[in-house]
Amino acid sequence: MKRPLLSFTVLSLLMSLGCAWTTPGCTVADSSLFSNISSYIPFCSLAPGLQFFASCSHVNDLAQTLAALPSRLEALCLQGTVQALPANAFGRFPILKLLRLQLGPIRVTSGAFQGVTQLQHLFFEHPAPCCLSLFLPPDALQPFGLLRSLSFEGYCLNSSHSIRLPLSLSHLSMQHSCMTDLKELKGLFPSLVPDSSPIGSSSSWSPFLEVLDLSANLQLRRVDGRALKGLQLHSLRLEGTPLNAGELLGAGLLRLDSLSLVGTAIEKLPSDVMANFELCALDLGRNQIQNIEDDDLPDRHSLELLNLHANSLHALPTRFFSALPQLQRLNLSMNHLGPTLVLPAGPVSSNLSMLDLSHNWLSALPSKAFFSLPQLQELWLGGNNIFHLSSEMLLGMRCLKTLDLSWNQIKVLEPGWLSSLPALTSLNLLGTHIENFSGRLLQGPQQLSHLQLGSPEFLTLYNPWPSTLLSLQIRAEGVEFKFSLREAFLSLENLTLQVHWVFPLQTNTTFHLPSLHHLTLRGFNGIFSSHQTYQFFPQLPLLEYLHIWSDPSGTEHVQLSGVPRLRVLELGDLTGFYPSGQMKLEEILMQVPQLEVLALSNVNLEDLSVSSFRGLHLLRLLLLNSEWVLGLHRNLQELMPQMPQYVYFSDVIFKCQCENSWVEPWAARTPNTFVYGLENSICRANDSDCSQTPFLAFLSAYCLEDLEFQSFLTSFTLVLLLTSFALLGSPNCPWLHHLSALCRAWWLKMGGWHHRSQYVYDVFISYCGQDQAWVLAELIPALEKPFPDGEGLRLCLPERDFGVGQDRVDAMAASMECSRATLCVLSRHALGSPWSNLELRLATYHMVAKPGTARLLLLFLEPIDRQQLCGYHRLARWLQQEDYLDFPKRSVDWEAFWNKLRKRLRKAVQERED
């Protein structure tokens, strides 16, 4: 039974899924499942708000690839070699919103995008910095009424012309193309430039394009007169082009708000361009500007954002801030403004809210260094050589919310150094040389919520700590807590500890974190140790995300307890925990029944069996990364109906053994699970085997498919023949009549005769006495009542329809024979009932004795370990065909359950009748 995908963002998504692995190289996933793990990064980069996506590499046969993907995709990324996009190529994806194509030299036929009316983002990309041929017919983009982004990267459109752009388009990108002159845009997109539109079609062009990105066009050097006449742009990006910015003055642009000239070898501020367009944003990062003179500043004061990152500035002109009173964000990182910071004086009413001075060789800050910037909210000073800070240096910034002092030479902080920053909410002290840090040093800010502390050696922490802390990150060789941890961090929601040692390791060293939601541990291996006499985190009642990346030198065993609401668990680099044997995954997972995402990276699993997942009924994503010689136990087949929706193998080496042969048919035919990574996996016979044997090639060459099942059918046939001979030799046996009727019905069917009157009932209902109340009150009315209240089926109930004094075994066999389908209601009580066991065995006997005609449907009233069904004639094999249903616990899902049950029974009855 298909269940809804789980989402860790605000949105949740219900999808009707199909087989995904049949197309090698395709990843199908819900992007929200990966939002809280770091072991796996999908190939397909998505737009915000999109979740259900597919990413396929090595695509050669486009039709075959697309046919195997779910039709409810929101995003699709294809990488490979395809000569042409045929008509209606993506028509089976009606709600597709993002399409990213990396298919080499390609020709787009007319109507290729027919039916994709919801598309919002379309990308043609080639990763290498060269121009490939791409042909786009004029009407190729006509179906897109909602298209917002259109991108061509690494493609040359010389053979295309008069492409009609959708009116909804707001972002047009042409990077790494063969464009030499801006006038070429007129021929490619006539509707882009108003004065080149045909007469009478003035309504066919958009009067305002938000972004035009022409970055990395290494041959773009000319701007023919008025090439962009009448065009209104919010942003023009010319990063990495040799075009002279001054030539834009004659291009005919009607409006331009933002200009990016990153990496264009500019040596001087383009003041004429700034003044002519009254720019609001100018990006001049990675250029060669060494000095800015007062005359370089424009007379018109409209600039709000200025980026001068990675230039060679040594100072700013004296009238810098007074000439730019509207400036709000200024990036001066990676320049040469040190060793002593000198900022030009400006008006007290300056609107600057963000100032980045990172990596400027600063070693000293003067008193009142930022007094002229009273509106400053973000100050970035990371990567400098600052060794001393005082409250006098930070005076005047009463609105400051973010202060970054990471990777400086700070060793000691004065008491009250933050007293002039009452609005501070985020403080970063990572990479400093502070050895002793007291919570008293944080006095002054009233709402400090995010704190990052770091030291290359040991860090000692003292009381008191602000009660407003929501996020805390500590990175050091070792950390020592000189206070009680029970009352220090009651409001903390996010904690990251990247340490090797925690001192003192005493019984009272326990964190009391009742509000913690997210915990990340790197390096320290004793926190969740089963060998400790105490629990470092005894109770984490609200914890949902736990990431443990351990130091490989550890030898302690991980054990989780006190985390009843854990949803995401990521374990990495635990090879040192289990140096002499297999990691006992079941010991870690036994206390986290609510787990939805499990990511394992280099944890020395060796073998994965059904015992590892017992009780994890909510698991939706299983990610195995960097495992060495992994074996998948055959008993995992029993979990097939309950396997996670997504199973990913990334850089996994399997064992070359036929015990793993069940994996290939499971991955190819299981409709409830998407499996990725098998086609690229290799296998090895043992640890010393250095061969690169493809895993799937080994299975197909050395392992006969379904050998055990064939042996079972052979032995069963022999036993059935011997039993038949014994029955035929006993004329008084009541089974003789049923066997005769069975043979007669088979003979008539082979001859083309159908006796519909042989079926007295539609469905035979099997259940135990403990479940009788539910069957009579819920199940029977839903199936037996006339339409529309029920399905109008003729049901056979043993307690109601068996004759008085009739032998129950005979009546049971005859009733099943006279019913078109059998429905077994299973629960733990039913599996313990002798009569229910007999009915289930008779039903499975009919399935084997008359394949293709008998119909059996299982209804699980409660979760049941599939291992308990192994004795019923390999019943787990029929579970792969989805002939089962799980009764939902939530009442909101009951209506969908009854509809599916009626539909399945109606289909079974019709198939038996035909």
Side-chain angles (χ1 to χ4, degrees):
M1 182 175 178
K2 301 178 179 66
R3 289 168 288 187
L5 298 176
L6 297 175
S7 173
F8 306 138
T9 58
V10 183
L11 300 177
S12 61
L13 192 59
L14 274 173
M15 289 296 168
S16 180
L17 303 178
C19 178
W21 181 81
T22 50
T23 302
C26 284
T27 306
V28 180
D30 182 348
S31 62
S32 63
L33 293 175
F34 297 96
S35 60
N36 290 284
I37 60 176
S38 58
S39 304
Y40 181 84
I41 301 176
F43 154 75
C44 192
S45 56
L46 305 181
L50 301 184
Q51 288 183 268
F52 195 56
F53 72 95
S55 176
C56 300
S57 58
H58 307 291
V59 177
N60 294 318
D61 190 329
L62 182 64
Q64 179 183 359
T65 299
L66 298 181
L69 296 175
S71 60
R72 298 294 303 276
L73 289 175
E74 288 185 297
L76 175 60
C77 302
L78 301 176
Q79 186 181 58
T81 303
V82 175
Q83 294 182 352
L85 290 183
N88 199 30
F90 306 97
R92 61 183 302 268
F93 306 105
I95 64 170
L96 195 66
K97 295 180 175 62
L98 182 145
L99 181 59
R100 190 180 300 272
L101 303 176
Q102 296 184 2
L103 300 176
I106 191 171
R107 181 182 181 90
V108 180
T109 60
S110 182
F113 302 109
Q114 196 67 36
V116 195
T117 57
Q118 301 298 313
L119 199 69
Q120 299 177 11
H121 311 277
L122 177 60
F123 304 90
F124 294 91
E125 297 178 349
H126 182 67
C130 62
C131 296
L132 297 181
S133 176
L134 171 66
F135 174 76
L136 213 64
D139 61 346
L141 308 178
Q142 188 172 357
F144 303 139
L146 302 176
L147 192 68
R148 289 157 39 195
S149 301
L150 176 62
S151 176
F152 303 94
E153 181 176 349
Y155 281 101
C156 182
L157 299 175
N158 280 349
S159 57
S160 304
H161 59 87
S162 300
I163 302 172
R164 292 192 287 272
L165 296 177
L167 295 177
S168 58
L169 191 68
S170 61
H171 190 132
L172 176 61
S173 176
M174 295 187 65
Q175 302 182 25
H176 290 288
S177 72
C178 52
M179 184 182 302
T180 60
D181 195 321
L182 282 182
K183 69 177 182 179
E184 297 175 22
L185 289 175
K186 284 185 177 182
L188 288 174
F189 312 107
S191 60
L192 179 65
V193 183
D195 71 339
S196 61
S197 299
I199 299 176
S201 61
S202 59
S203 61
S204 63
W205 53 268
S206 175
F208 186 84
L209 190 66
E210 289 189 14
V211 179
L212 176 60
D213 191 347
L214 302 176
S215 302
N217 286 286
L218 303 182
Q219 303 178 45
L220 182 59
R221 299 177 180 274
R222 299 190 306 273
V223 179
D224 198 2
R226 313 195 70 75
L228 302 178
K229 182 180 179 181
L231 181 62
Q232 301 185 67
L233 289 177
H234 171 72
S235 175
L236 175 61
R237 306 175 77 172
L238 297 172
E239 303 170 6
T241 63
L243 183 68
N244 187 347
E247 295 192 23
L248 294 175
L249 300 176
L253 278 172
L254 188 62
R255 174 179 176 180
L256 181 61
D257 296 332
S258 174
L259 177 62
S260 177
L261 298 172
V262 175
T264 55
I266 289 179
E267 299 179 357
K268 189 177 180 180
L269 207 67
S271 55
D272 51 349
V273 176
M274 297 167 58
N276 181 78
F277 294 111
E278 298 186 16
L279 293 178
C280 296
L282 179 61
D283 192 345
L284 298 173
R286 293 189 288 110
N287 278 294
Q288 303 173 15
I289 302 176
Q290 297 184 11
N291 295 292
I292 299 178
E293 304 294 338
D294 288 338
D295 295 338
D296 296 335
L297 299 174
D299 296 330
R300 301 183 182 182
H301 315 299
S302 58
L303 205 63
E304 299 177 359
L305 185 152
L306 178 59
N307 184 6
L308 294 169
H309 164 78
N311 279 271
S312 302
L313 286 171
H314 291 81
L316 296 178
T318 55
R319 59 182 293 266
F320 185 82
F321 289 118
S322 59
L324 302 173
Q326 303 299 323
L327 194 63
Q328 299 180 16
R329 303 182 69 84
L330 175 61
N331 188 347
L332 297 171
S333 60
M334 297 188 68
N335 280 280
H336 304 286
L337 299 179
T340 301
L341 178 66
V342 178
L343 291 179
V348 179
S349 61
S350 173
N351 290 317
L352 195 68
S353 61
M354 191 283 290
L355 176 61
D356 192 344
L357 296 170
S358 304
H359 303 280
N360 265 285
W361 301 96
L362 296 173
S363 58
L365 298 178
S367 177
K368 299 182 180 180
F370 309 98
F371 191 78
S372 60
L373 306 175
Q375 304 298 322
L376 202 62
Q377 298 183 17
E378 301 177 34
L379 178 59
W380 305 85
L381 296 169
N384 286 291
N385 297 317
I386 299 173
F387 60 90
H388 175 70
L389 281 172
S390 65
S391 59
E392 289 78 10
M393 299 177 182
L394 303 176
L395 279 176
M397 296 188 294
R398 300 190 62 82
C399 297
L400 193 69
K401 296 182 178 180
T402 300
L403 177 59
D404 184 359
L405 295 167
S406 59
W407 307 105
N408 277 281
Q409 303 298 318
I410 302 173
K411 294 184 177 180
V412 179
L413 292 171
E414 296 182 0
W417 72 289
L418 295 177
S419 59
S420 59
L421 307 178
L424 192 68
T425 60
S426 177
L427 175 62
N428 188 350
L429 293 171
L430 288 176
T432 60
H433 295 263
I434 300 175
E435 297 181 357
N436 298 278
F437 192 91
S438 171
R440 297 183 185 277
L441 295 174
L442 302 176
Q443 293 180 353
Q446 301 174 2
Q447 296 294 329
L448 187 64
S449 56
H450 299 83
L451 176 63
Q452 297 171 275
L453 297 175
S455 176
E457 298 182 356
F458 287 89
L459 181 63
T460 304
L461 303 179
Y462 301 86
N463 254 343
W465 292 84
S467 60
T468 56
L469 272 185
L470 300 178
S471 175
L472 173 63
Q473 179 179 353
I474 299 176
R475 184 187 302 177
E477 181 69 21
V479 61
E480 181 178 8
F481 296 94
K482 289 286 189 178
F483 57 91
S484 172
L485 301 176
R486 293 196 56 83
E487 304 296 334
F489 305 108
L490 298 181
S491 301
L492 201 65
E493 297 179 356
N494 193 325
L495 174 63
T496 299
L497 289 177
Q498 187 170 342
V499 297
H500 289 93
W501 310 102
V502 175
F503 298 98
L505 294 178
Q506 300 174 356
T507 305
N508 60 351
T509 309
T510 57
F511 268 104
H512 183 55
L513 303 171
S515 304
L516 197 68
H517 286 266
H518 204 136
L519 175 60
T520 301
L521 305 173
R522 291 182 176 270
F524 182 43
N525 53 56
I527 292 182
F528 286 102
S529 171
S530 60
H531 293 175
Q532 296 289 351
T533 57
Y534 67 95
Q535 291 284 334
F536 199 84
F537 294 104
Q539 292 293 328
L540 299 173
L542 299 182
L543 190 70
E544 296 186 2
Y545 310 101
L546 175 60
H547 311 264
I548 302 179
W549 290 79
S550 177
D551 184 350
S553 63
T555 58
E556 306 283 0
H557 286 240
V558 174
Q559 183 180 12
L560 300 180
S561 61
V563 286
R565 299 182 60 178
L566 193 67
R567 299 171 57 195
V568 178
L569 175 61
E570 183 179 13
L571 301 176
D573 293 338
L574 301 185
T575 54
F577 276 52
Y578 306 91
S580 60
Q582 174 185 352
M583 175 184 180
K584 301 297 183 182
L585 189 60
E586 58 271 18
E587 296 179 2
I588 299 178
L589 303 179
M590 60 185 302
Q591 295 182 352
V592 285
Q594 304 299 318
L595 202 63
E596 299 172 359
V597 174
L598 176 61
L600 304 174
S601 181
N602 193 25
V603 296
N604 194 24
L605 280 176
E606 291 191 8
D607 285 290
L608 205 60
S609 63
V610 68
S611 59
S612 304
F613 302 97
R614 183 171 288 113
L616 297 181
H617 303 295
L618 300 179
L619 193 64
R620 308 303 297 152
L621 169 63
L622 173 62
L623 170 63
L624 300 177
N625 180 49
S626 299
E627 289 301 320
W628 183 268
V629 194
L630 176 66
L632 301 177
H633 201 278
R634 191 176 292 273
N635 62 17
L636 279 172
Q637 298 177 84
E638 303 165 14
L639 277 178
M640 282 185 179
Q642 296 179 348
M643 284 294 279
Q645 192 130 28
Y646 302 104
V647 179
Y648 288 85
F649 300 98
S650 176
D651 194 22
V652 174
I653 299 176
F654 291 91
K655 293 181 179 179
C656 286
Q657 58 184 20
C658 289
E659 279 287 317
N660 295 328
S661 62
W662 66 273
V663 176
E664 182 178 5
W666 160 67
R669 295 193 292 267
T670 302
N672 285 340
T673 301
F674 289 101
V675 184
Y676 175 74
L678 289 181
E679 67 281 355
N680 298 322
S681 300
I682 62 174
C683 69
R684 294 180 179 177
N686 48 54
D687 292 343
S688 60
D689 182 9
C690 297
S691 63
Q692 299 289 321
T693 306
F695 178 53
L696 297 182
F698 169 83
L699 296 181
S700 60
Y702 297 100
C703 303
L704 295 177
E705 184 178 359
D706 229 357
L707 181 60
E708 180 187 357
F709 186 54
Q710 295 177 9
S711 301
F712 161 72
L713 289 180
T714 302
S715 59
F716 180 82
T717 303
L718 292 175
V719 172
L720 183 62
L721 288 175
L722 293 175
T723 305
S724 301
F725 291 148
L727 291 175
L728 290 173
S730 177
N732 297 325
C733 181
W735 284 93
L736 185 60
H737 170 73
H738 300 297
L739 182 61
S740 176
L742 178 64
C743 294
R744 182 172 178 271
W746 175 79
W747 179 258
L748 291 174
K749 184 174 183 180
M750 292 294 293
W753 295 89
H754 297 275
H755 291 276
R756 299 178 182 268
S757 59
Q758 63 177 312
Y759 300 119
V760 179
Y761 304 103
D762 291 320
V763 184
F764 177 86
I765 307 295
S766 171
Y767 59 92
C768 69
Q770 289 86 340
D771 301 328
Q772 183 176 3
W774 182 85
V775 171
L776 297 178
E778 302 291 341
L779 182 63
I780 302 304
L783 301 180
E784 203 170 45
K785 284 186 178 181
F787 187 83
D789 296 329
E791 193 63 22
L793 298 175
R794 291 170 295 175
L795 306 181
C796 179
L797 279 70
E799 282 74 13
R800 183 187 68 183
D801 299 312
F802 285 3
V804 179
Q806 186 179 6
D807 183 77
R808 180 159 183 170
V809 176
D810 292 346
M812 191 185 307
S815 298
M816 286 187 181
E817 180 66 27
C818 296
S819 299
R820 294 179 172 87
T822 299
L823 175 63
C824 292
V825 181
L826 294 182
S827 64
R828 293 186 178 89
H829 296 301
L831 293 182
S833 170
W835 287 113
S836 296
N837 272 262
L838 180 58
E839 292 172 354
L840 185 57
R841 293 182 186 276
L842 283 176
T844 56
Y845 158 76
H846 280 291
M847 292 181 66
V848 177
K850 300 190 296 180
T853 59
R855 291 293 178 265
L856 172 63
L857 184 63
L858 305 181
L859 195 162
F860 292 93
L861 281 181
E862 55 187 342
I864 295 178
D865 191 347
R866 300 306 193 257
Q867 192 172 6
Q868 301 180 35
L869 302 178
C870 290
Y872 301 102
H873 295 281
R874 308 286 180 170
L875 190 59
R877 296 187 181 276
W878 279 276
L879 291 181
Q880 299 177 32
Q881 304 174 6
E882 286 198 295
D883 286 341
Y884 73 96
L885 296 96
D886 292 318
F887 185 72
K889 295 182 180 180
R890 302 185 306 173
S891 58
V892 294
D893 299 329
W894 288 355
E895 183 177 355
F897 166 80
W898 290 119
N899 291 336
K900 187 169 184 178
L901 175 61
R902 295 188 186 105
K903 180 179 179 181
R904 188 64 190 88
L905 286 174
R906 193 185 311 119
K907 179 181 178 182
V909 169
Q910 183 63 37
E911 290 174 351
R912 186 71 182 271
E913 184 68 37
D914 295 338

